Amino acid sequence: MKGNVDSKLLLGLIIGGAIGAAAGYLAATDKKEQILNDLNDLVAKAKNAFASAVSTYRKTGTETAVADSEAQCEV
């Protein structure tokens, strides 16, 4: 059990170090505005894709619900 806790601690330290290094690089680089703009564009595209997928799912789900209710009325 102790080995499992030690490995999780080590993994947490490694991930934390990687995040810290990335944040340090972003803060120290001359191109941070460009990097932030690229990240914002990427996030905006992901949000639009997610919204589109949700909209399609809701539309499909509504059509399925209408078809199911029509089928129940016919019986």
Side-chain angles (χ1 to χ4, degrees):
M1 184 77 182
K2 183 163 173 64
N4 192 19
V5 173
D6 290 341
S7 64
K8 287 182 181 180
L9 177 65
L10 182 61
L11 180 62
L13 290 173
I14 291 171
I15 291 173
I19 292 172
Y25 174 76
L26 183 61
T29 185
D30 293 335
K31 296 180 180 182
K32 68 180 172 184
E33 290 296 323
Q34 180 183 0
I35 292 171
L36 289 175
N37 287 337
D38 291 345
L39 286 175
N40 284 334
D41 290 343
L42 182 64
V43 168
K45 287 179 184 178
K47 285 172 60 176
N48 289 337
F50 181 76
S52 176
V54 168
S55 176
T56 301
Y57 173 76
R58 287 183 178 164
K59 183 179 177 184
T60 304
T62 304
E63 292 172 357
T64 303
V66 170
D68 288 345
S69 63
E70 289 174 354
Q72 288 177 353
C73 292
E74 293 176 2
V75 173

